[in-house]
Amino acid sequence: MVTPALPVAPDAGPGPGMDEPLKRILGARTATSLAKLGLETTGDLLRHYPRRYAEPGTMTDLASLVVGEHVTVMARVASATVRSMRSRGGAMMQAVVTDDVHRLNLTFFSKGPGALRVHEDRLRPGAVGLFTGTVGEYRGERQLTHPDYVLVGADADDEAAALTEASRPVPIYPASAAVPTWRIQRAVRTVLDPLTEEQVPDPVPAEILARHRYPSLLRALRLVHLPFTTSEAHQGLARLRFEEALVLQAELARRRAQVAALRTTARPARAGGLLEAFDARLPFTLTAGQQEVGEQLATDLAQSRPMQRLLQGDVGSGKTIVALRAMLQVVDAGGQAAILAPTEVLAAQHHRTIRALLGPLAEAGTLMGEAGATRVALLTGSLGARARKEALLEAASGQAGIVVGTHALLGEHVQFADLGLIVVDEQHRFGVEQRDALRGRAQTTPHMLVMTATPIPRTVAMTLFGDLEISELAGLPDGRAGVATHVVPAGRPAWVGRIWQRVREEVDAGNRVYVVCPRIDSDDAPDVLDDGGLLLDDDGAGASGGSGASDHAEGGPARPPLSAVTEVAEQLRAMPDLDGVRIGTLHGRLPAAEKDQAMADLASGAAPVLVATTVVEVGVDVPEATLMVILDADRFGISQLHQLRGRVGRGSRPGTCLLVSHAEPGTDAFERVERLASTTDGFELARLDLELRREGDVLGASQSGKASSLRLLRVVRDADLIARARQDAEALVAEDPALAAWPGLAAAIEDRLRDESKEFIDRS
Ligand code: ADP
Ligand code: MG
């Protein structure tokens, strides 16, 4: 589905305003240096917000400076003296600045004393200024050599003005050594002063501004860049944050509206069909949550407007049954349903479970089949030619009411006789674009149900899955024994030895055990290094340092190499404690048949211990599994660990999860592991996970230079604001889907779609 172009904003009134190239206003030198920060136009510069504010009354704590760091500090001059240097020739000036407690030296060199007098003149004792440079050390004292600096109030025309200036908060911009923050500040002031309201079109409609008592865009920019008090700055920032949320939510609301305008075949429930027969066969009663969401889905499916729903539920809440019941309703109504899983292991498992749950209801065309039965086909990338042909045929002919597959199902030219429902299971990196691609597949748009692997806070879901309506599946099935989680320090051989005895005991009791490692083998990069379970980047490698890779260093240089599946399996096989226990392995590089075999051997108990990578992370369901040992647990993110441990304690027997970790107390890695052990609430953990992430990680946006349109918004902290913006956006789109009445908003959406933020939506 292609998003139709929005009407373009009419020319922004008098003068080029926000589009004016900085070259024309600031002169070549300044413009060139600002261009290095990616700032080319007035708009770019004004959207380059201060990172923080320095209060003239509040000196920087000079004790906090770290050698080697580039810093900007607010401090008071204590002394400044120029002297000649006999040894080297030339002159030197040394100034001392202070935060009233600690001291920092400023050192300037020159050929002769004359050039230094200028500094001496300006750096009068008592003057307060901002000083910027790289922290060095000389004879045990910290110093800045040739710092750039600006004195507070120095630009003012008279003393009164100087006093006012000296009491204003000073914006500190994301800067670089080449462009110190006050050069940016001066440039901002030059650009901002002459601008008029007409030149700065506001993306936020006037009535919304009035309702929330927000200032106009121009006024907000003035508050943020040239505040008289920090509270003014925060007022401005709040409004800019709201603007970001509104623009994003307006775009998402438009997408929802477009989807809502689509038509599909209504698939109302039918009496006497497969769904009824299935419910009658079900060996347990549905939880209240399953019933509630079930009714919601049944109602959605009965509409001729395609369902677009996200189903969130904690690990083990029983999403599969909910999805299956929806699929059966569609089959009863004469349509087909497809369910997509993120891995082949999971697709194969769904195929098995769904067939097992349906029993004779899934055996159409065989002697076993009951009247009105259907068939369940499996379609994955690794099928043999014959099996594949057969599955394709069953899908195309409509014989298979249910088709299970991996995402391979999307890319291929798989034909359905009448695809009525697509279920996307356990997938959190399933972006808007992919959802669009799916919607576009059939002649009519099928109903769609997306199920998250990891529950996420509602506002995060609204941001990342904003084109979907959201259902939450509350509660777990009764009789779940649950999981107890313990942290085992890897440095304690006796404790670690005890783990393998526990494994033996579980096996002897007829239970199954998972051992999870971050790598496949010793010369392999970590298998699936966590993305923390949230919608962010592809492998979690780069940006998700907060939960994975970058914490490696925290373990210290002495840290042993990460555990690897093949090696750990060998070690366990050689262990006297585990004599006679068959140990299987499972990882992403195995051929599909071997993966299936490993899972089957675990399920049957033929190989009751499975050493695996995170391929068992999502969805895998072996009710006899009672113990999970996660090696190098600190290498995984919170949500991922939560998913992993959700594999045990699924039956009536209680589960145990042992997190083996080298992490030192006090590190982020250690905290993650501890937090996980402290609660089993997936929603709560997802929130913690987001909090522990660095800001840039949450939105996946680079925080430097010309950032995306989401510069200020933080999905967790700004939950309320996002919810408000969503309401407003919905009302606007309902009133005028093309947003023609609000060209500023339409233009801002176009901008953000052109921007990196497009990438953000897609990556979600
Ligand atoms: P998830 O929501 O994590 O995908 P599953 O759908 O895999 O969870 O369900 C977990 C297990 O709970 C499965 O073995 C399933 O058969 C079982 N289950 C689902 N619903 C119920 C219920 N109402 N009562 C008892 N067991 C249930
Ligand atoms: Mg599942």
Side-chain angles (χ1 to χ4, degrees):
M1 191 176 68
V2 177
T3 311
L6 287 161
V8 176
D11 207 31
M18 300 288 269
D19 294 328
E20 176 94 44
L22 292 172
K23 272 204 294 276
R24 293 236 287 273
I25 319 173
L26 294 172
R29 196 169 138 257
T30 307
T32 308
S33 49
L34 290 174
K36 289 190 192 125
L37 295 173
L39 311 173
E40 310 267 358
T41 64
T42 294
D44 294 343
L45 180 61
L46 296 182
R47 297 290 191 175
H48 188 70
Y49 305 128
R51 195 153 34 103
R52 60 188 172 90
Y53 296 88
E55 289 270 14
T58 328
M59 304 291 143
T60 309
D61 175 8
L62 295 177
S64 69
L65 301 185
V66 176
V67 173
E69 266 182 13
H70 186 83
V71 298
T72 299
V73 302
M74 171 94 59
R76 190 187 318 280
V77 178
S79 64
T81 39
V82 176
R83 57 191 165 85
S84 319
M85 294 185 296
R86 230 163 289 128
S87 56
R88 290 164 65 179
M92 163 186 176
M93 187 185 90
Q94 181 125 57
V96 177
V97 295
T98 166
D99 58 8
D100 297 332
V101 181
H102 310 97
R103 296 152 61 89
L104 175 69
N105 296 327
L106 313 179
T107 311
F108 301 82
F109 299 100
S110 175
K111 284 213 163 60
L116 295 174
R117 297 281 173 220
V118 187
H119 291 300
E120 192 182 30
D121 238 30
R122 299 177 61 200
L123 294 174
R124 295 272 168 80
V128 171
L130 282 172
F131 303 87
T132 190
T134 303
V135 183
E137 201 163 12
Y138 182 68
R139 294 192 175 153
E141 290 188 14
R142 274 156 321 142
Q143 69 169 14
L144 304 179
T145 307
H146 287 286
D148 249 314
Y149 63 90
V150 66
L151 297 173
V152 174
D155 288 345
D157 298 334
D158 56 45
E159 206 166 323
L163 265 177
T164 316
E165 280 304 305
S167 65
R168 288 174 77 163
V170 182
I172 309 288
Y173 289 92
S176 69
V179 200
T181 168
W182 48 85
R183 287 226 349 246
I184 299 175
Q185 190 191 356
R186 267 188 217 133
V188 166
R189 185 173 283 215
T190 309
V191 163
L192 197 49
D193 277 346
L195 278 181
T196 60
E197 289 285 347
E198 293 69 45
Q199 286 175 304
V200 184
D202 198 329
V204 185
E207 65 265 31
I208 294 183
L209 285 182
R211 178 146 27 92
H212 298 303
R213 295 174 200 280
Y214 281 134
S216 71
L217 176 55
L218 178 60
R219 171 98 185 111
L221 291 172
R222 294 219 157 104
L223 292 175
V224 162
H225 290 294
L226 308 167
F228 280 92
T229 62
T230 28
S231 109
E232 274 193 356
H234 288 297
Q235 237 179 297
L237 285 169
R239 119 95 223 204
L240 294 173
R241 215 173 271 133
F242 177 81
E243 175 188 321
E244 286 179 9
L246 184 74
V247 172
L248 174 64
Q249 293 298 339
E251 167 57 11
L252 293 170
R254 285 184 66 237
R255 283 171 183 260
R256 278 195 302 277
Q258 281 159 18
V259 171
L262 298 172
R263 284 294 161 259
T264 189
T265 314
R267 314 279 181 177
R270 178 166 64 81
L274 282 170
L275 179 54
E276 273 185 11
F278 172 79
D279 282 344
R281 273 180 57 90
L282 206 57
F284 41 71
T285 49
L286 298 176
T287 65
Q290 284 172 324
Q291 248 154 21
E292 188 187 314
V293 174
E295 278 160 28
Q296 206 165 38
L297 300 188
T299 312
D300 282 3
L301 293 172
Q303 313 298 316
S304 55
R305 141 189 178 188
M307 170 172 84
Q308 305 288 329
R309 196 170 279 282
L310 172 73
L311 175 57
Q312 292 214 75
D314 207 345
V315 183
S317 56
K319 295 186 285 290
T320 316
I321 302 278
V322 172
L324 179 54
R325 294 184 68 250
M327 293 195 275
L328 291 174
Q329 176 172 332
V330 169
V331 176
D332 280 340
Q336 290 168 292
I339 176 164
L340 306 184
T343 63
E344 298 213 340
V345 169
L346 200 52
Q349 174 187 289
H350 275 326
H351 185 236
R352 262 196 316 273
T353 357
I354 290 176
R355 288 184 55 177
L357 283 165
L358 288 172
L361 302 175
E363 303 290 338
T366 72
L367 285 177
M368 307 268 290
E370 279 186 13
T374 186
R375 296 184 63 81
V376 182
L378 174 67
L379 212 96
T380 57
S382 64
L383 282 188
R386 251 187 66 194
R388 187 183 153 72
K389 207 171 145 195
E390 202 170 306
L392 284 171
L393 202 68
E394 286 189 358
S397 66
Q399 270 178 300
I402 295 175
V403 181
V404 184
T406 52
H407 292 136
L409 204 59
L410 300 183
E412 295 168 15
H413 293 283
V414 182
Q415 301 287 324
F416 289 88
D418 182 11
L419 183 59
L421 169 65
I422 298 174
V423 179
V424 182
D425 187 27
E426 303 286 13
Q427 186 50 280
H428 48 236
R429 285 193 214 98
F430 203 70
V432 168
E433 303 255 293
Q434 284 149 305
R435 298 200 281 274
D436 281 351
L438 261 187
R439 287 173 191 129
R441 273 193 58 82
Q443 290 87 340
T444 59
T445 309
H447 296 284
M448 187 180 317
L449 178 66
V450 177
M451 306 201 286
T452 48
T454 307
I456 52 179
R458 208 179 166 80
T459 49
V460 178
M462 275 176 358
T463 307
L464 301 177
F465 295 95
D467 57 332
L468 306 177
E469 288 172 84
I470 301 170
S471 296
E472 270 158 27
L473 180 53
L476 298 182
D478 287 340
R480 271 299 154 67
V483 193
T485 306
H486 306 282
V487 181
V488 181
R492 300 278 193 90
W495 295 24
V496 175
R498 174 75 190 110
I499 292 177
W500 308 121
Q501 289 166 9
R502 271 298 303 277
V503 171
R504 175 83 215 197
E505 288 160 20
E506 293 299 326
V507 171
D508 286 347
N511 299 328
R512 316 280 189 269
V513 177
Y514 296 99
V515 178
V516 179
C517 306
R519 288 190 308 167
I520 298 175
D521 50 37
S522 57
D523 38 45
D524 156 48
D527 188 28
V528 189
L529 239 194
D530 164 49
D531 69 340
L534 281 154
L535 333 146
L536 305 168
D537 40 25
D538 291 340
D539 294 311
S544 72
S547 21
S550 76
D551 288 324
H552 192 33
E554 288 175 12
R559 180 175 179 137
L562 295 177
S563 316
V565 170
T566 49
E567 289 158 13
V568 169
E570 280 317 308
Q571 286 160 15
L572 297 189
R573 285 174 189 137
M575 222 173 251
D577 272 335
L578 295 176
D579 210 21
V581 176
R582 242 187 88 199
I583 292 166
T585 58
L586 179 63
H587 57 74
R589 289 214 303 260
L590 290 178
E594 284 181 40
K595 287 188 205 162
D596 288 348
Q597 193 59 48
M599 282 314 298
D601 287 348
L602 181 73
S604 71
V609 176
L610 184 66
V611 185
T613 57
T614 53
V615 285
V616 299
E617 175 188 349
V618 288
V620 170
D621 187 30
V622 176
E624 295 82 7
T626 52
L627 177 61
M628 172 169 284
V629 181
I630 305 181
L631 300 174
D632 295 306
D634 50 289
R635 297 308 305 273
F636 303 97
I638 287 184
S639 298
Q640 194 175 25
L641 290 169
H642 182 59
Q643 274 293 323
L644 280 167
R645 75 174 163 183
R647 305 303 112 218
V648 298
R650 294 171 79 82
S652 53
R653 288 173 256 194
T656 305
C657 176
L658 301 177
L659 304 170
V660 183
S661 168
H662 286 276
E664 301 286 339
T667 58
D668 280 2
F670 186 83
E671 186 174 354
R672 267 202 307 282
V673 172
E674 284 275 291
R675 294 258 186 133
L676 187 85
S678 70
T679 174
T680 54
D681 180 337
F683 284 93
E684 169 71 10
L685 285 168
R687 207 177 49 73
L688 288 177
D689 200 359
L690 280 170
E691 271 173 19
L692 284 181
R693 278 157 183 277
R694 277 152 223 166
E695 293 183 342
D697 298 343
V698 175
L699 293 174
S702 132
Q703 295 296 300
S704 62
K706 189 175 179 175
S708 75
S709 315
L710 294 183
R711 293 167 214 222
L712 299 169
L713 203 62
R714 301 286 172 263
V715 280
V716 177
R717 183 196 63 195
D718 298 324
D720 294 347
L721 186 137
I722 291 173
R724 247 191 298 136
R726 179 168 161 122
Q727 269 186 4
D728 288 337
E730 255 176 4
L732 292 178
V733 170
E735 193 179 326
D736 178 2
L739 300 176
W742 304 285
L745 181 57
I749 291 177
E750 283 293 290
D751 270 359
R752 67 162 282 121
L753 289 182
R754 234 179 290 120
D755 244 28
E756 294 165 59
S757 41
K758 170 122 174 10
E759 190 187 323
F760 156 70
I761 289 187
D762 294 343
R763 292 206 299 183
S764 68

